[in-house]
Amino acid sequence: MALKRVWIPSPNYSSRGGSGVRLIVLHTAEGARTIESLGGFFQGDVGASSHTGADDKVNTIGEYVKRSNKAWTQANYNPAAVAIELCGFASWSRDEWMNNHRNMLDNCAKWIAEEAAHFGIPITKLSAGAAQGSGRGVCQHADLGSGGGGHWDCGSGFPMDHVLDLARGGVPAPSEEDENLIASAVSESGVHHVFWVGEDGKTVWYRYQRRGESDWNDGGTLLKSNEKIVGLSASKSATGVLELFGRQADGGPVHTWQKPNQTAWSGGEEGKQRAAFTGLPK
Ligand SMILES: [Zn+2]
């Protein structure tokens, strides 16, 4: 799911003056606890801003300055940086971050992945020397030293490695998250089926509507996968077999089918699902 960006424009920005972006810089806001209150602060005449901010809301960040412009948050390095302010504190321990602010870390990671993809910046942790030199990657405000304003955020407890691991997981394709997890098809006898993946990501449920009827009947569980299912497809073959295919997160397929004018589904158990596809590339 692409990160939702809530646009709260700040007047505190300027042109990058032709500079390219090589730094993805993480900060802690040291006060504001929500992206809205942070955005409100940056709308004031405070001579400061950030491109974005993150709080504990699921899959949502605040955006205050467009990435094509220069935000004012790390002094000499502003022209070369794109920045996020986490609505937390540099004094937080690793446990505080990991136990109570998972969503904020996830949001930060997704933002890193999106910016890295946009600017072609590698998702690697820069040393202070590389950050202050000509390195391309991700750093914390503290890594920029006195030229960056001499701050110490995001603090020694910030789980940078965890966030970068999450970010390297990539930007999940929207289709894998929520668009391809429902499918429908009409059988030979005119029964309309709809299939969807349940909340556990591994169970396919279905309902069906008989020809000429308006009620939907609960078909229950159609199959259970041992891996997360990230895509579904349903179709009817030329000989009238209703086919349901799922793609598992590990690349393997799951498959079940219903012969024409029958109600039973075949191949629903794991062994058969896999056996039908032995040797296919993942
Ligand atoms: Zn900072």
Side-chain angles (χ1 to χ4, degrees):
M1 202 186 307
L3 203 47
K4 180 181 166 197
R5 297 186 180 219
V6 179
W7 177 232
I8 306 172
S10 167
N12 305 322
Y13 68 90
S14 47
S15 163
R16 290 190 183 278
S19 171
V21 174
R22 65 176 181 84
L23 294 172
I24 295 173
V25 186
L26 315 183
H27 301 254
T28 45
E30 304 300 316
R33 299 302 307 276
T34 68
I35 57 174
E36 290 81 9
S37 64
L38 183 61
F41 174 73
F42 287 145
Q43 285 186 324
D45 183 16
V46 293
S49 65
S50 171
H51 292 97
T52 58
D55 62 16
D56 293 311
K57 288 189 263 302
V58 174
N59 202 53
T60 304
I61 60 170
E63 186 163 40
Y64 314 120
V65 174
K66 292 298 180 188
R67 56 161 78 100
S68 56
N69 286 318
K70 183 174 82 174
W72 302 343
T73 184
Q74 53 269 305
N76 297 349
Y77 294 93
N78 288 339
V82 64
I84 193 165
E85 292 273 356
L86 302 168
C87 293
F89 296 88
S91 60
W92 280 357
S93 66
R94 182 178 175 90
D95 281 352
E96 174 66 20
W97 284 107
M98 295 293 284
N99 296 338
N100 301 325
H101 302 286
R102 287 270 179 181
N103 289 341
M104 204 186 300
L105 298 177
D106 285 350
N107 291 335
C108 180
K110 286 177 177 170
W111 172 79
I112 290 170
E114 290 186 1
E115 299 307 308
H118 178 83
F119 289 112
I121 296 172
I123 302 176
T124 48
K125 182 163 77 173
L126 294 175
S127 66
Q132 293 172 36
S134 58
R136 298 175 62 81
V138 186
C139 69
Q140 298 183 29
H141 195 176
D143 295 317
L144 298 174
S146 58
H151 291 221
W152 68 295
D153 52 326
C154 302
S156 57
F158 183 73
M160 182 83 163
D161 292 336
H162 169 74
V163 168
L164 294 187
D165 282 346
L166 287 177
R168 285 185 204 104
V171 184
S175 62
E176 292 190 350
E177 286 291 306
D178 48 22
E179 287 176 16
N180 284 349
L181 298 183
I182 189 163
S184 63
V186 177
S187 74
E188 187 78 356
S189 54
V191 181
H192 193 171
H193 294 72
V194 60
F195 311 90
W196 69 97
V197 178
E199 265 187 348
D200 67 355
K202 297 180 174 180
T203 307
V204 176
W205 305 84
Y206 78 112
R207 286 188 173 184
Y208 58 94
Q209 186 185 54
R210 294 194 183 91
R211 181 202 293 265
E213 296 184 2
S214 58
D215 284 345
W216 286 89
N217 303 289
D218 190 359
T221 302
L222 183 55
L223 63 82
K224 257 191 157 334
S225 165
N226 61 338
E227 294 275 344
K228 195 168 180 219
I229 296 174
V230 295
L232 270 189
S233 167
S235 58
K236 189 180 71 174
S237 76
T239 55
V241 181
L242 196 57
E243 305 268 9
L244 180 77
F245 298 88
R247 181 182 183 275
Q248 298 181 322
D250 71 351
V254 287
H255 177 213
T256 185
W257 62 95
Q258 186 188 55
K259 291 184 179 151
N261 304 310
Q262 296 188 9
T263 56
W265 290 85
S266 303
E269 76 239 52
E270 178 67 17
K272 285 184 187 169
Q273 294 161 23
R274 291 285 193 170
F277 289 95
T278 302
L280 280 186
K282 283 189 172 181

mmCIF file with all atom_site columns, all heavy atoms in Angstrom, residues 73-86:
data_model
loop_
_atom_site.group_PDB
_atom_site.id
_atom_site.type_symbol
_atom_site.label_atom_id
_atom_site.label_alt_id
_atom_site.label_comp_id
_atom_site.label_asym_id
_atom_site.label_entity_id
_atom_site.label_seq_id
_atom_site.pdbx_PDB_ins_code
_atom_site.Cartn_x
_atom_site.Cartn_y
_atom_site.Cartn_z
_atom_site.occupancy
_atom_site.B_iso_or_equiv
_atom_site.pdbx_formal_charge
_atom_site.auth_seq_id
_atom_site.auth_comp_id
_atom_site.auth_asym_id
_atom_site.auth_atom_id
_atom_site.pdbx_PDB_model_num
ATOM 1   N N   . THR A 1 73 ? 15.894 22.440 7.606  1.00 0.00 ? 73 THR A N   1
ATOM 2   C CA  . THR A 1 73 ? 15.971 21.619 8.815  1.00 0.00 ? 73 THR A CA  1
ATOM 3   C C   . THR A 1 73 ? 17.358 21.119 9.174  1.00 0.00 ? 73 THR A C   1
ATOM 4   O O   . THR A 1 73 ? 17.576 20.675 10.293 1.00 0.00 ? 73 THR A O   1
ATOM 5   C CB  . THR A 1 73 ? 14.976 20.430 8.708  1.00 0.00 ? 73 THR A CB  1
ATOM 6   O OG1 . THR A 1 73 ? 14.984 19.678 9.903  1.00 0.00 ? 73 THR A OG1 1
ATOM 7   C CG2 . THR A 1 73 ? 15.317 19.519 7.550  1.00 0.00 ? 73 THR A CG2 1
ATOM 8   N N   . GLN A 1 74 ? 18.329 21.171 8.249  1.00 0.00 ? 74 GLN A N   1
ATOM 9   C CA  . GLN A 1 74 ? 19.667 20.739 8.642  1.00 0.00 ? 74 GLN A CA  1
ATOM 10  C C   . GLN A 1 74 ? 20.760 21.643 8.054  1.00 0.00 ? 74 GLN A C   1
ATOM 11  O O   . GLN A 1 74 ? 21.765 21.175 7.524  1.00 0.00 ? 74 GLN A O   1
ATOM 12  C CB  . GLN A 1 74 ? 19.919 19.270 8.309  1.00 0.00 ? 74 GLN A CB  1
ATOM 13  C CG  . GLN A 1 74 ? 19.669 18.827 6.871  1.00 0.00 ? 74 GLN A CG  1
ATOM 14  C CD  . GLN A 1 74 ? 18.285 18.322 6.592  1.00 0.00 ? 74 GLN A CD  1
ATOM 15  O OE1 . GLN A 1 74 ? 17.806 17.422 7.244  1.00 0.00 ? 74 GLN A OE1 1
ATOM 16  N NE2 . GLN A 1 74 ? 17.628 18.914 5.604  1.00 0.00 ? 74 GLN A NE2 1
ATOM 17  N N   . ALA A 1 75 ? 20.536 22.957 8.208  1.00 0.00 ? 75 ALA A N   1
ATOM 18  C CA  . ALA A 1 75 ? 21.547 23.981 7.934  1.00 0.00 ? 75 ALA A CA  1
ATOM 19  C C   . ALA A 1 75 ? 22.220 23.811 6.570  1.00 0.00 ? 75 ALA A C   1
ATOM 20  O O   . ALA A 1 75 ? 21.546 23.788 5.542  1.00 0.00 ? 75 ALA A O   1
ATOM 21  C CB  . ALA A 1 75 ? 22.567 24.033 9.079  1.00 0.00 ? 75 ALA A CB  1
ATOM 22  N N   . ASN A 1 76 ? 23.542 23.635 6.573  1.00 0.00 ? 76 ASN A N   1
ATOM 23  C CA  . ASN A 1 76 ? 24.303 23.631 5.322  1.00 0.00 ? 76 ASN A CA  1
ATOM 24  C C   . ASN A 1 76 ? 23.912 22.502 4.375  1.00 0.00 ? 76 ASN A C   1
ATOM 25  O O   . ASN A 1 76 ? 24.230 22.548 3.193  1.00 0.00 ? 76 ASN A O   1
ATOM 26  C CB  . ASN A 1 76 ? 25.805 23.470 5.617  1.00 0.00 ? 76 ASN A CB  1
ATOM 27  C CG  . ASN A 1 76 ? 26.351 24.623 6.421  1.00 0.00 ? 76 ASN A CG  1
ATOM 28  O OD1 . ASN A 1 76 ? 25.675 25.633 6.590  1.00 0.00 ? 76 ASN A OD1 1
ATOM 29  N ND2 . ASN A 1 76 ? 27.573 24.471 6.924  1.00 0.00 ? 76 ASN A ND2 1
ATOM 30  N N   . TYR A 1 77 ? 23.265 21.467 4.920  1.00 0.00 ? 77 TYR A N   1
ATOM 31  C CA  . TYR A 1 77 ? 22.970 20.295 4.095  1.00 0.00 ? 77 TYR A CA  1
ATOM 32  C C   . TYR A 1 77 ? 21.569 20.334 3.486  1.00 0.00 ? 77 TYR A C   1
ATOM 33  O O   . TYR A 1 77 ? 21.171 19.399 2.796  1.00 0.00 ? 77 TYR A O   1
ATOM 34  C CB  . TYR A 1 77 ? 23.178 19.016 4.914  1.00 0.00 ? 77 TYR A CB  1
ATOM 35  C CG  . TYR A 1 77 ? 24.632 18.832 5.280  1.00 0.00 ? 77 TYR A CG  1
ATOM 36  C CD1 . TYR A 1 77 ? 25.128 19.316 6.483  1.00 0.00 ? 77 TYR A CD1 1
ATOM 37  C CD2 . TYR A 1 77 ? 25.519 18.235 4.387  1.00 0.00 ? 77 TYR A CD2 1
ATOM 38  C CE1 . TYR A 1 77 ? 26.465 19.196 6.809  1.00 0.00 ? 77 TYR A CE1 1
ATOM 39  C CE2 . TYR A 1 77 ? 26.862 18.100 4.701  1.00 0.00 ? 77 TYR A CE2 1
ATOM 40  C CZ  . TYR A 1 77 ? 27.326 18.592 5.913  1.00 0.00 ? 77 TYR A CZ  1
ATOM 41  O OH  . TYR A 1 77 ? 28.658 18.467 6.212  1.00 0.00 ? 77 TYR A OH  1
ATOM 42  N N   . ASN A 1 78 ? 20.837 21.413 3.723  1.00 0.00 ? 78 ASN A N   1
ATOM 43  C CA  . ASN A 1 78 ? 19.471 21.482 3.184  1.00 0.00 ? 78 ASN A CA  1
ATOM 44  C C   . ASN A 1 78 ? 19.385 21.273 1.677  1.00 0.00 ? 78 ASN A C   1
ATOM 45  O O   . ASN A 1 78 ? 18.483 20.570 1.208  1.00 0.00 ? 78 ASN A O   1
ATOM 46  C CB  . ASN A 1 78 ? 18.811 22.816 3.566  1.00 0.00 ? 78 ASN A CB  1
ATOM 47  C CG  . ASN A 1 78 ? 18.445 22.872 5.036  1.00 0.00 ? 78 ASN A CG  1
ATOM 48  O OD1 . ASN A 1 78 ? 18.312 21.836 5.683  1.00 0.00 ? 78 ASN A OD1 1
ATOM 49  N ND2 . ASN A 1 78 ? 18.285 24.076 5.573  1.00 0.00 ? 78 ASN A ND2 1
ATOM 50  N N   . PRO A 1 79 ? 20.290 21.869 0.883  1.00 0.00 ? 79 PRO A N   1
ATOM 51  C CA  . PRO A 1 79 ? 20.120 21.719 -0.576 1.00 0.00 ? 79 PRO A CA  1
ATOM 52  C C   . PRO A 1 79 ? 20.194 20.268 -1.053 1.00 0.00 ? 79 PRO A C   1
ATOM 53  O O   . PRO A 1 79 ? 19.557 19.906 -2.041 1.00 0.00 ? 79 PRO A O   1
ATOM 54  C CB  . PRO A 1 79 ? 21.298 22.530 -1.149 1.00 0.00 ? 79 PRO A CB  1
ATOM 55  C CG  . PRO A 1 79 ? 21.652 23.505 -0.075 1.00 0.00 ? 79 PRO A CG  1
ATOM 56  C CD  . PRO A 1 79 ? 21.395 22.776 1.220  1.00 0.00 ? 79 PRO A CD  1
ATOM 57  N N   . ALA A 1 80 ? 20.954 19.436 -0.351 1.00 0.00 ? 80 ALA A N   1
ATOM 58  C CA  . ALA A 1 80 ? 21.212 18.068 -0.817 1.00 0.00 ? 80 ALA A CA  1
ATOM 59  C C   . ALA A 1 80 ? 20.356 17.034 -0.100 1.00 0.00 ? 80 ALA A C   1
ATOM 60  O O   . ALA A 1 80 ? 20.550 15.840 -0.291 1.00 0.00 ? 80 ALA A O   1
ATOM 61  C CB  . ALA A 1 80 ? 22.689 17.731 -0.616 1.00 0.00 ? 80 ALA A CB  1
ATOM 62  N N   . ALA A 1 81 ? 19.394 17.497 0.738  1.00 0.00 ? 81 ALA A N   1
ATOM 63  C CA  . ALA A 1 81 ? 18.703 16.556 1.613  1.00 0.00 ? 81 ALA A CA  1
ATOM 64  C C   . ALA A 1 81 ? 17.195 16.556 1.410  1.00 0.00 ? 81 ALA A C   1
ATOM 65  O O   . ALA A 1 81 ? 16.586 17.568 1.074  1.00 0.00 ? 81 ALA A O   1
ATOM 66  C CB  . ALA A 1 81 ? 19.003 16.897 3.071  1.00 0.00 ? 81 ALA A CB  1
ATOM 67  N N   . VAL A 1 82 ? 16.615 15.388 1.658  1.00 0.00 ? 82 VAL A N   1
ATOM 68  C CA  . VAL A 1 82 ? 15.177 15.272 1.822  1.00 0.00 ? 82 VAL A CA  1
ATOM 69  C C   . VAL A 1 82 ? 14.985 14.712 3.232  1.00 0.00 ? 82 VAL A C   1
ATOM 70  O O   . VAL A 1 82 ? 15.727 13.823 3.661  1.00 0.00 ? 82 VAL A O   1
ATOM 71  C CB  . VAL A 1 82 ? 14.559 14.402 0.691  1.00 0.00 ? 82 VAL A CB  1
ATOM 72  C CG1 . VAL A 1 82 ? 15.041 12.974 0.737  1.00 0.00 ? 82 VAL A CG1 1
ATOM 73  C CG2 . VAL A 1 82 ? 13.055 14.465 0.723  1.00 0.00 ? 82 VAL A CG2 1
ATOM 74  N N   . ALA A 1 83 ? 14.020 15.287 3.968  1.00 0.00 ? 83 ALA A N   1
ATOM 75  C CA  . ALA A 1 83 ? 14.006 15.045 5.412  1.00 0.00 ? 83 ALA A CA  1
ATOM 76  C C   . ALA A 1 83 ? 12.650 14.623 5.943  1.00 0.00 ? 83 ALA A C   1
ATOM 77  O O   . ALA A 1 83 ? 11.605 14.991 5.409  1.00 0.00 ? 83 ALA A O   1
ATOM 78  C CB  . ALA A 1 83 ? 14.448 16.324 6.147  1.00 0.00 ? 83 ALA A CB  1
ATOM 79  N N   . ILE A 1 84 ? 12.719 13.845 7.028  1.00 0.00 ? 84 ILE A N   1
ATOM 80  C CA  . ILE A 1 84 ? 11.512 13.488 7.777  1.00 0.00 ? 84 ILE A CA  1
ATOM 81  C C   . ILE A 1 84 ? 11.751 13.787 9.251  1.00 0.00 ? 84 ILE A C   1
ATOM 82  O O   . ILE A 1 84 ? 12.858 13.577 9.769  1.00 0.00 ? 84 ILE A O   1
ATOM 83  C CB  . ILE A 1 84 ? 11.122 12.002 7.563  1.00 0.00 ? 84 ILE A CB  1
ATOM 84  C CG1 . ILE A 1 84 ? 9.713  11.730 8.087  1.00 0.00 ? 84 ILE A CG1 1
ATOM 85  C CG2 . ILE A 1 84 ? 12.138 11.054 8.203  1.00 0.00 ? 84 ILE A CG2 1
ATOM 86  C CD1 . ILE A 1 84 ? 9.121  10.405 7.603  1.00 0.00 ? 84 ILE A CD1 1
ATOM 87  N N   . GLU A 1 85 ? 10.720 14.301 9.903  1.00 0.00 ? 85 GLU A N   1
ATOM 88  C CA  . GLU A 1 85 ? 10.752 14.522 11.354 1.00 0.00 ? 85 GLU A CA  1
ATOM 89  C C   . GLU A 1 85 ? 9.836  13.490 11.997 1.00 0.00 ? 85 GLU A C   1
ATOM 90  O O   . GLU A 1 85 ? 8.623  13.475 11.746 1.00 0.00 ? 85 GLU A O   1
ATOM 91  C CB  . GLU A 1 85 ? 10.233 15.928 11.701 1.00 0.00 ? 85 GLU A CB  1
ATOM 92  C CG  . GLU A 1 85 ? 11.128 17.061 11.260 1.00 0.00 ? 85 GLU A CG  1
ATOM 93  C CD  . GLU A 1 85 ? 12.213 17.416 12.278 1.00 0.00 ? 85 GLU A CD  1
ATOM 94  O OE1 . GLU A 1 85 ? 12.214 16.824 13.377 1.00 0.00 ? 85 GLU A OE1 1
ATOM 95  O OE2 . GLU A 1 85 ? 13.058 18.270 11.949 1.00 0.00 ? 85 GLU A OE2 1
ATOM 96  N N   . LEU A 1 86 ? 10.406 12.645 12.830 1.00 0.00 ? 86 LEU A N   1
ATOM 97  C CA  . LEU A 1 86 ? 9.595  11.675 13.568 1.00 0.00 ? 86 LEU A CA  1
ATOM 98  C C   . LEU A 1 86 ? 9.052  12.362 14.814 1.00 0.00 ? 86 LEU A C   1
ATOM 99  O O   . LEU A 1 86 ? 9.807  13.046 15.524 1.00 0.00 ? 86 LEU A O   1
ATOM 100 C CB  . LEU A 1 86 ? 10.455 10.472 13.956 1.00 0.00 ? 86 LEU A CB  1
ATOM 101 C CG  . LEU A 1 86 ? 11.084 9.773  12.743 1.00 0.00 ? 86 LEU A CG  1
ATOM 102 C CD1 . LEU A 1 86 ? 12.154 8.791  13.188 1.00 0.00 ? 86 LEU A CD1 1
ATOM 103 C CD2 . LEU A 1 86 ? 10.017 9.074  11.928 1.00 0.00 ? 86 LEU A CD2 1
#
